[in-house]
Amino acid sequence: MNLRLARRWLTDQSTIGQLYADNILECHTLEDRIRRDPIPETPENEGKIPGTTAIPDGRYQIVMRQSPKFGYVPAVLNVPGFTDILIHAGNSDKDTRGCILVGRRDPAKPDWVGSSRAALDALIPKIQEGLRAGEVWCEIETFCAIPA
């Protein structure tokens, strides 16, 4: 199974995207704000501010992991400069801490996703099915201008 997170809308607080599962729109996402890495060729991600920076664009393996706070949720592996990145329920940048939240975008609320638990509950079985068939990968791409 292939997931694709297309980042579309940026604000000073958050990044909103569209998550596709095998090329079908699954839900929207909310992440922390994207920050430029001043030295992208190094693994440290010097532009990161812990807990308030979105993970870098790239291709990442997805597995299921038990989280004490969120239960059995998808985890994003081998993110340069980041650890413990999960895909979980939440509504605003205050809920992300570097993770990816899933839900439904409301254009009237630019830094918010709603129906998050329902979106996660619909996504998890698809990821589990993909893992039973093999591996699950997520390609993350930004399609909007990143502030300097």
Side-chain angles (χ1 to χ4, degrees):
M1 167 187 227
N2 290 304
L3 299 174
R4 185 170 156 266
L5 195 167
R7 293 170 168 159
R8 302 281 186 197
W9 302 276
L10 300 179
T11 73
D12 288 340
Q13 286 82 34
S14 70
T15 305
I16 302 286
Q18 297 168 309
L19 184 67
Y20 295 83
D22 288 331
N23 296 317
I24 297 171
L25 181 62
E26 179 69 24
C27 59
H28 289 97
T29 60
L30 186 141
E31 301 173 82
D32 283 319
R33 188 178 142 199
I34 296 174
R35 298 177 199 283
R36 288 188 188 276
D37 183 353
I39 311 171
E41 59 276 6
T42 63
E44 288 79 20
N45 196 350
E46 296 84 359
K48 175 186 173 186
I49 298 173
T52 61
T53 300
I55 64 176
D57 285 9
R59 185 172 184 261
Y60 303 106
Q61 188 171 12
I62 306 295
V63 298
M64 295 298 294
R65 179 174 295 156
Q66 184 66 38
S67 161
K69 185 172 182 180
F70 300 108
Y72 195 57
V73 293
V76 184
L77 300 183
N78 303 317
V79 179
F82 290 74
T83 59
D84 301 319
I85 301 300
L86 304 174
I87 299 173
H88 62 81
N91 303 112
S92 76
D93 65 297
K94 292 172 183 54
D95 301 323
T96 64
R97 306 279 311 151
C99 294
I100 300 169
L101 308 180
V102 292
R104 301 285 175 234
R105 175 179 180 253
D106 179 349
K109 298 178 183 179
D111 296 302
W112 184 267
V113 289
S115 303
S116 188
R117 174 54 58 188
L120 183 64
D121 289 346
L123 178 62
I124 285 176
K126 293 175 183 175
I127 290 174
Q128 289 173 322
E129 183 179 326
L131 289 168
R132 282 191 295 274
E135 295 180 333
V136 175
W137 291 84
C138 183
E139 180 76 29
I140 298 176
E141 297 177 272
T142 301
F143 290 94
C144 44
I146 301 171

